[in-house]
C-alpha cells in the first residue's frame, strides 16, 4: 500500500494531543510508524469496513475506495488529497476528486495537514454531517449499458 | 430453443477504489459465469461464492514487477478464457485487457470516477485496445470514445 506519511504523522500528532480519543491508523508501507495512535500496515477488507462503521469520524486520503466506503457506511469522511509534487501519487487526481466529489454532504476536504487537525477539532466539537444513504449498486443507466455490452459478445 | 450457456466473464480491478467501484457494478454480470481478480486475498470475502483470483499489483514505483504481472495476466486469461473482460483499472488489468483481446474477448474499460479532470493514463492506452472505453464524467466523453454511460455513484 502506497504510504501517505504526511497524513499518518498529522494523525499521530493529533492522537498524542488527544490521549482520551482512540485513534487507529492504517499506515501502509511508510517508514514512519505511529507512536501514539494504534496502528497496522494493512487490515482485511472486512475489518476495514467494521472500523469505519464503528468510528465517529473517518479520516483518509481522497481516494475513491475511502469515499465510497464512507458513503456506504454513512460515516463522515475528512480527506486530505495526495499531491504529486510531494511524491504522494503519480498524478494530482486526488485534488480533482476532492473538488468534484468532496462537496457532497458528509464529506469534508482539508487543504493541508494544518487545516486537517483544525477541521477534526471543529467536526468533533460541533458534530459532522453524515453522507446521504445511496443504493448499493451503480446507477441503473450504467448497469443497463454494461449489460447490453456483455450481451453483444453473443454476436461474435 | 435450448438455454444458452452463460457468458464467461472476467471482472478485474486493482485494489482500493478500483475494486470498490467494480463491486458496485456487479449486478450487470450476475447471470454470467464470472471470475473476479484483484490484489488482496481478503477481497475474496467481498464476492462470496464466486471464483476469485489474486494477483500481484504493480505501479510506476515498482516497475521491476512488470514481468511478473505480464506472466500472471497471461496465465489468468489463458485459464479463464473470458468472452468478456470488464475492468475499472489500473495497470495490471490493462495488461489483462490487451492479452484478453488477443484471444478474442470483448473488452470494456471503465475509467475510475476519480478521473474527473481527464481520462487516466491507463484509460488513454485502453482507448487503443478496448472495444469500449467509458468515463464516469459526461464532460470527458467524446461521443463513443470515450462514452459516458452513467456512474457508480
Amino acid at each position: 500500500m502506497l504510504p501517505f506519511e504526511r497524513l499518518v504523522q498529522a494523525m499521530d500528532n493529533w492522537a498524542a494531543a488527544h490521549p482520551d480519543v482512540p485513534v487507529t491508523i492504517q499506515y501502509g508501507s511508510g517508514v514512519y510508524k505511529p507512536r501514539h495512535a494504534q496502528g497496522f500496515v494493512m487490515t482485511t477488507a472486512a475489518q476495514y469496513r467494521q472500523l469505519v462503521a464503528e468510528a465517529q469520524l473517518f479520516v483518509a486520503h481522497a481516494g475513491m475506495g475511502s469515499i465510497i466506503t464512507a458513503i456506504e457506511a454513512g460515516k463522515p469522511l475528512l480527506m486530505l488529497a495526495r499531491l504529486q509534487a510531494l511524491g504522494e501519487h503519480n498524478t494530482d487526481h486526488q485534488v480533482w476528486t476532492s473538488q468534484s466529489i468532496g462537496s457532497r454532504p458528509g464529506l469534508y476536504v482539508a487543504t493541508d495537514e494544518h487545516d486537517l487537525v483544525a477541521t477534526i477539532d471543529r467536526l468533533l466539537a460541533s458534530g459532522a454531517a453524515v453522507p446521504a444513504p445511496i443504493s448499493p449498486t451503480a446507477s441503473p443507466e450504467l448497469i443497463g449499458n454494461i449489460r447490453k455490452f456483455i450481451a453483444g459478445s453473443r454476436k461474435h | 430453443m435450448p438455454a444458452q450457456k452463460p457468458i464467461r466473464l472476467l471482472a478485474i480491478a486493482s485494489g482500493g477504489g478500483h475494486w470498490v467501484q467494480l463491486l458496485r457494478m456487479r449486478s450487470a454480470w450476475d447471470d454470467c459465469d464470472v471470475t473476479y481478480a484483484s490484489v488482496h486475498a481478503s477481497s475474496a470475502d467481498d464476492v462470496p461464492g464466486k471464483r476469485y483470483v489474486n494477483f500481484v499489483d504493480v505501479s510506476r514505483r515498482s516497475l521491476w514487477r512488470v514481468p511478473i504481472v505480464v506472466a500472471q495476466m497471461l496465465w489468468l486469461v489463458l485459464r479463464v478464457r473470458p468472452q468478456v473482460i470488464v475492468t475499472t483499472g489500473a495497470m495490471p488489468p490493462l495488461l489483462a485487457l490487451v492479452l484478453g483481446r488477443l484471444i478474442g474477448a470483448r473488452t470494456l474499460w471503465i475509467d475510475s470516477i476519480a478521473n474527473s479532470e481527464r481520462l487516466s493514463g491507463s484509460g488513454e492506452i485502453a482507448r487503443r485496445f478496448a472495444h469500449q472505453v467509458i468515463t464516469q464524467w459526461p464532460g470527458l466523453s467524446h461521443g463513443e470514445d470515450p462514452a459516458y454511460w452513467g456512474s457508480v455513484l
Side-chain angles (χ1 to χ4, degrees):
Chain A
M1 228 180 77
L2 205 59
F4 189 13
E5 300 204 325
R6 194 160 53 101
L7 179 59
V8 174
Q9 290 192 25
M11 289 313 301
D12 198 36
N13 291 340
W14 191 89
H18 300 78
D20 50 324
V21 182
V23 178
T24 305
I25 302 180
Q26 172 170 276
Y27 51 84
S29 56
V31 175
Y32 182 89
K33 309 275 182 278
R35 282 168 228 149
H36 307 284
Q38 294 179 42
F40 41 76
V41 174
M42 197 183 167
T43 185
T44 62
Q47 205 209 340
Y48 164 62
R49 284 204 190 89
Q50 193 187 337
L51 284 166
V52 171
E54 288 167 356
Q56 190 180 345
L57 178 65
F58 178 30
V59 181
H61 71 164
M64 286 314 308
S66 307
I67 294 170
I68 294 174
T69 302
I71 295 175
E72 286 181 342
K75 283 290 159 177
L77 168 66
L78 172 59
M79 51 188 142
L80 182 65
R82 292 177 185 264
L83 299 179
Q84 183 184 19
L86 301 178
E88 292 163 346
H89 217 310
N90 51 22
T91 68
D92 272 331
H93 70 268
Q94 291 206 347
V95 178
W96 313 337
T97 299
S98 44
Q99 285 161 3
S100 56
I101 299 188
S103 56
R104 289 177 168 240
L107 305 183
Y108 299 87
V109 178
T111 51
D112 58 26
E113 54 274 34
H114 307 290
D115 183 40
L116 182 88
V117 291
T119 308
I120 294 173
D121 292 337
R122 181 169 60 81
L123 292 176
L124 291 185
S126 61
V130 296
I134 54 164
S135 154
T137 61
S139 71
E141 179 196 8
L142 179 55
I143 300 291
N145 280 318
I146 297 173
R147 277 186 169 274
K148 263 185 257 164
F149 177 87
I150 294 168
S153 69
R154 295 265 189 224
K155 296 176 205 140
H156 296 268
Chain B
M1 206 175 94
Q4 285 183 303
K5 274 177 77 174
I7 293 168
R8 278 189 315 282
L9 182 140
L10 173 63
I12 178 167
S14 300
H18 298 284
W19 175 246
V20 172
Q21 290 178 68
L22 190 73
L23 291 179
R24 289 183 59 78
M25 292 177 267
R26 63 187 133 172
S27 61
W29 49 81
D30 53 10
D31 52 357
C32 294
D33 175 12
V34 55
T35 301
Y36 286 93
S38 191
V39 297
H40 303 300
S42 77
S43 295
D45 300 339
D46 292 330
V47 287
K50 303 289 184 187
R51 244 187 328 277
Y52 175 82
V53 180
N54 213 52
F55 63 87
V56 170
D57 204 2
V58 67
S59 69
R60 271 163 245 202
R61 286 161 192 250
S62 51
L63 288 176
W64 58 272
R65 284 185 183 159
V66 166
I68 303 172
V69 174
V70 172
Q72 286 184 116
M73 291 302 142
L74 190 59
W75 173 240
L76 180 65
V77 298
L78 290 178
R79 201 165 44 144
V80 176
R81 293 246 158 214
Q83 293 161 285
V84 177
I85 297 180
V86 177
T87 179
T88 45
M91 201 213 258
L94 174 64
L95 281 167
L97 184 149
V98 172
L99 295 168
R101 172 124 203 199
L102 291 175
I103 61 154
R106 189 162 155 83
T107 51
L108 173 62
W109 177 277
I110 300 149
D111 212 51
S112 167
I113 194 171
N115 304 305
S116 52
E117 205 74 4
R118 60 168 183 257
L119 215 61
S120 67
S122 297
E124 285 295 345
I125 298 171
R127 285 176 68 195
R128 281 180 240 153
F129 294 99
H131 288 85
Q132 181 72 57
V133 171
I134 61 174
T135 167
Q136 300 190 51
W137 293 95
L140 295 188
S141 133
H142 295 281
E144 287 302 302
D145 180 29
Y148 171 75
W149 287 0
S151 95
V152 296
L153 281 179

